[in-house]
């Protein structure tokens, strides 16, 4: 065989190999087909986000994981799909599923896929009829475990979990019960209410910030509003708001007033102290400040109804910040109203608070936790009682954003801390470097606006 013939033969073999490879690639099932083939998974809708494909999905879950053959319900979640070989980030807000499918900070850092889960009992991911005894952190962890188990059949690279606020808490609870489901967890501004009856939050609020006079002005606002309570209630009722859940507008107003300093520091900054009305402020100025800072519409029947699931969890296992009544105790007509029971309909049975649940989580983090990253805000009231690493915690980090609020994240950390946190996330995900713009984007499911909309 001459040289030309041999060259033609080699070219023909190479072309055949390319064609065969292309045939195999084209024959590989599309991600939509792979999703549809997962047992119990339903594709609800499909779309795109940039170059990624997005899906809203439903998965059949047991209402009670102790009885897997019993009552079922469909739990919603979303998928942001880039490539099956990329890392997967399991994300949750701890609340409802967001109306948009967008990447969390860890997903942007590792340029990965993302699953975002709507938590059980947040409508429409609720059994019908609903037995509220099935709403526990153990049951929710099992929901996540079943999703991870199903999707690891498609996504075989490293898995991370993440969430902010209640979502961060939920991610830690999942790791406690199923520590090997994911390779690491990044929890943002996640409170750890181990002892629920201490005045940790009140002490924090009274002294937070660089200028104590700001907190005294906030206390002055509280007093002035209650001193003009009849005018405020008349305005609220004129707007058509209803307050059956609170037992009346006066009681709702007191809950709102007690929450004002907490919410100011949760979403605000030291610079905004200049906007706090001083002594002798007009009712109009007080109204405008309170509405912008807290929001009158949230403390209504329509405002709290979507969050009855959270308040049930807070009052039965998670714990909650005790309202500081010290500055206005003499002006209150309904002291002690700022508690989860106030926000949950009487038709839902409220069991005794389980003091063991958070203590168990805290012990696990301190003595057995591994590959955990906590990011908190220095001025965020929810960081008054944070998760703490212990002697038994392995390969874990905890950082605080100076002057940070409830929007604290890795991007807002000082340079050295930001580099250390980023390096840990990349190492845990098995990724060599982050995209250039990964930390320059303050959008996505854990943005401050999204957290404000969820109130926690």
């Amino acid at each position: 065989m001459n040289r030309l013939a041999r060259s033609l033969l080699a070219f023909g073999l190479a072309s055949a190999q390319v064609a065969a490879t292309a045939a195999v690639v084209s024959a590989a099932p599309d991600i939509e087909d792979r999703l549809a083939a997962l047992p119990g998974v339903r594709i609800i809708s499909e779309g795109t986000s940039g170059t990624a494909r997005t899906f809203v999905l439903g998965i059949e879950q047991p209402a009670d994981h102790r009885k897997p053959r019993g009552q079922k319900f469909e739990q919603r979640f979303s998928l942001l799909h880039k490539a099956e070989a990329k890392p997967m980030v399991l994300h949750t807000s701890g609340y409802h599923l967001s109306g948009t499918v967008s990447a969390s900070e860890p997903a942007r850092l590792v340029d990965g896929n993302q699953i975002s889960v709507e938590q059980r009992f947040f409508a429409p991911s609720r059994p019908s009829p609903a037995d509220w005894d099935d709403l526990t952190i153990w049951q929710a962890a099992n929901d996540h475990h079943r999703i991870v188990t199903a999707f690891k059949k498609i996504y075989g690279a490293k898995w991370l979990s993440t969430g902010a606020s209640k979502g961060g808490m939920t991610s830690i609870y999942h790791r406690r019960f199923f520590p090997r489901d994911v390779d690491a967890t990044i929890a943002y501004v996640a409170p750890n209410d181990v002892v629920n009856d201490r005045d940790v939050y009140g002490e924090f609020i009274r002294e937070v910030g660089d200028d104590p006079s700001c907190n005294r002005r906030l206390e002055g606002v509280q007093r002035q509003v209650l001193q003009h309570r009849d005018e405020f209630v008349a305005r609220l009722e004129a707007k058509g708001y209803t307050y059956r859940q609170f037992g009346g507008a006066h009681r709702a107003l007191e809950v709102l007033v007690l929450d004002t300093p907490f919410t100011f520091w949760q979403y605000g900054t030291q610079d905004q102290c200049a906007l706090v009305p001083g002594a002798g402020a007009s009712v109009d100025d007080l109204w405008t400040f309170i509405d912008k800072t807290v929001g009158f519409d949230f403390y209504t029947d329509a405002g709290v109804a979507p969050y009855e699931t959270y308040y049930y969890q807070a009052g039965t296992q998670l714990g909650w910040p005790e309202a500081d009544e010290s500055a206005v105790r003499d002006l209150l007509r309904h002291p002690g109203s700022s508690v989860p029971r106030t926000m949950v309909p009487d038709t839902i049975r409220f069991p005794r608070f389980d003091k063991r649940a958070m203590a168990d989580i805290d012990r696990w983090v301190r003595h057995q936790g591994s590959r955990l990253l906590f990011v908190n805000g220095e001025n965020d009231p929810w960081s008054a009682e944070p998760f703490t690493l212990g002697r038994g915690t392995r390969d874990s980090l905890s950082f605080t954003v100076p002057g940070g609020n409830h929007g604290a994240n890795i991007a807002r950390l000082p340079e050295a801390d930001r580099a250390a946190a980023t390096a840990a996330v990349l190492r845990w995900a098995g990724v060599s470097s982050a995209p250039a713009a990964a930390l320059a984007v303050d959008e996505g499911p854990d943005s401050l606006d999204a957290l404000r909309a969820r109130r926690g």
Side-chain angles (χ1 to χ4, degrees), residues 229-244 247-253 287 296 299-300:
R229 67 160 64 227
D230 291 338
E231 294 171 75
F232 275 86
V233 166
R235 288 192 182 198
L236 292 172
E237 292 177 340
K239 292 179 73 69
Y241 295 139
T242 62
Y243 301 95
R244 289 183 295 274
H250 281 276
R251 194 178 184 199
L253 180 66
W287 176 279
F296 288 112
Y299 295 82
T300 64

Side-chain angles (χ1 to χ4, degrees), residues 109-143:
L109 279 172
V110 304
D111 190 29
N113 309 291
Q114 179 173 290
I115 288 172
S116 295
V117 184
E118 181 167 73
Q119 290 304 294
R120 62 167 42 215
F121 279 65
F122 282 91
S125 297
R126 179 182 295 181
S128 182
D131 182 348
W132 287 77
D133 287 342
D134 292 333
L135 179 54
T136 67
I137 59 172
W138 180 85
Q139 296 281 6
N142 274 271
D143 292 340

Side-chain angles (χ1 to χ4, degrees), residues 95-96 122 298 302-313 343-344 450 452-456:
Y95 294 88
H96 300 94
F122 282 91
F298 182 73
V304 300
Y307 302 97
E308 64 185 17
T309 303
Y310 160 69
Y311 289 114
Y312 177 91
Q313 290 187 279
M343 314 295 186
V344 178
R452 183 188 292 273
R454 290 194 296 269
R455 310 301 304 185

